[in-house]
């Protein structure tokens, strides 16, 4: 099974900050990596698929990169609505999610 | 716009069977490009993929749950069903149905909280 590890598990940041979240796969998954945003009491929402493709309607301040085992999600300038938990998920084989990164306001 | 709505009992007794339904609206199962997955999330924890089903009825399950899970599809009602038997407190979670393509979960239901308790 492919394991996904995110870091950090929590992060405090301020409005306007540039934020980067990392996801590491236990084996190479090419670009089969997706990112989701989840707000309290809500279902996750797809942000980025195939490592770097922005899902329809997602603001351009979100971006993703990476290949193989190491991936990043970057928010270029934090907005109030971005404070949430972010999950990576590999779609290379049987779906597995990272443990999540909680982004909190500093 | 396709929407998903989970339904079912919010409370299940230990050792019994958890049964949930996901109703698809805004499009029919037969015409959809998605296949359908169930994903769960214990309170304060991460997401766990339970399994998937195609409109044809073909299924694939998480190996960790495979012995207890079954999924089915009713295209006449545009519904996908989940059954998880021999439940314990560890199965207490919010259960989501999701529409996927190539293991990318594009659309999600709002989720339903299921508690396993006597």
């Amino acid at each position: 099974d492919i394991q996904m590890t995110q870091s950090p598990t929590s992060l405090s940041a301020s409005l306007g900050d540039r934020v980067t979240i990392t996801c590491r796969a236990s084996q190479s998954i090419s670009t089969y990596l997706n990112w989701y945003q989840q707000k309290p009491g809500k279902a996750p929402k797809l942000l980025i698929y195939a490592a770097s493709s922005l899902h329809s309607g997602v603001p351009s301040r979100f971006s993703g990169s990476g290949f193989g085992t190491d991936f990043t999600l970057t928010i270029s300038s934090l907005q109030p609505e971005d404070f949430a938990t972010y999950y990576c998920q590999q779609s290379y084989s049987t779906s597995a999610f990272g443990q999540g990164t909680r982004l909190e306001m500093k | 716009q396709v929407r998903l709505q989970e339904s079912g009992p919010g409370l299940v007794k230990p050792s019994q069977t958890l049964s949930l339904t996901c109703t698809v609206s805004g499009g029919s199962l037969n015409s959809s490009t998605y296949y359908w997955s169930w994903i769960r999330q214990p309170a304060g924890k991460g997401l766990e993929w339970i399994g998937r089903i195609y409109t044809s009825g073909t299924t694939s399950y998480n190996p960790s749950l495979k012995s207890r899970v079954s999924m089915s599809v009713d295209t006449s009602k545009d519904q996908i069903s989940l059954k998880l038997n021999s439940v314990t407190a560890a199965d207490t979670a919010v259960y989501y149905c999701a529409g996927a393509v190539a293991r990318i979960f594009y659309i999600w239901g709002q989720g339903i909280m299921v508690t396993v308790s006597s």
Side-chain angles (χ1 to χ4, degrees):
Chain A
D1 294 357
I2 300 174
Q3 308 300 318
M4 308 302 295
T5 304
Q6 289 180 233
S7 60
T9 54
S10 64
L11 175 61
S12 295
S14 302
L15 293 176
D17 282 355
R18 180 182 181 89
V19 168
T20 297
I21 297 169
T22 297
C23 180
R24 175 165 289 175
S26 60
Q27 67 183 72
S28 177
I29 57 170
S30 184
T31 57
Y32 291 92
L33 191 284
N34 313 303
W35 291 96
Y36 301 82
Q37 177 194 66
Q38 186 179 34
K39 296 183 178 179
K42 301 294 186 182
K45 291 184 177 180
L46 177 65
L47 294 176
I48 288 171
Y49 62 95
S52 60
S53 296
L54 205 62
H55 183 47
S56 175
V58 175
S60 59
R61 62 181 179 273
F62 290 92
S63 63
S65 65
F67 179 88
T69 60
D70 295 315
F71 301 88
T72 60
L73 171 69
T74 298
I75 309 172
S76 61
S77 178
L78 268 177
Q79 300 301 302
E81 60 269 29
D82 299 338
F83 293 97
T85 300
Y86 293 85
Y87 292 94
C88 65
Q89 174 242 341
Q90 61 86 5
S91 47
Y92 182 84
S93 65
T94 301
S95 295
F97 294 86
Q99 78 275 30
T101 295
R102 185 175 179 180
L103 177 56
E104 301 174 317
M105 187 177 294
K106 186 181 289 183
Chain B
Q1 179 183 0
V2 175
R3 293 191 175 186
L4 308 177
Q5 177 70 58
E6 302 89 349
S7 60
L11 181 64
V12 181
K13 295 186 185 317
S15 79
Q16 295 192 343
T17 297
L18 179 160
S19 297
L20 298 176
T21 298
C22 176
T23 302
V24 179
S25 61
S28 73
L29 282 181
N30 277 329
S31 63
S32 178
T33 57
Y34 300 113
Y35 63 82
W36 312 98
S37 280
W38 288 94
I39 295 162
R40 69 180 183 179
Q41 184 174 37
K45 296 188 179 181
L47 299 159
E48 179 182 32
W49 179 75
I50 299 170
R52 68 170 179 261
I53 185 166
Y54 291 84
T55 305
S56 64
T58 301
T59 56
S60 177
Y61 302 132
N62 187 323
S64 68
L65 297 169
K66 187 175 182 178
S67 64
R68 299 194 291 129
V69 174
S70 66
M71 296 180 186
S72 60
V73 61
D74 186 337
T75 54
S76 67
K77 296 181 179 179
D78 289 322
Q79 290 180 335
I80 305 107
S81 297
L82 167 71
K83 292 188 184 300
L84 180 65
N85 57 38
S86 304
V87 297
T88 70
D91 296 309
T92 294
V94 175
Y95 285 75
Y96 296 101
C97 62
V101 177
R103 301 189 181 101
I104 301 168
F105 302 107
Y106 284 91
I107 57 170
W108 296 66
Q110 65 183 27
I112 183 169
M113 177 67 203
V114 179
T115 300
V116 178
S117 175
S118 56

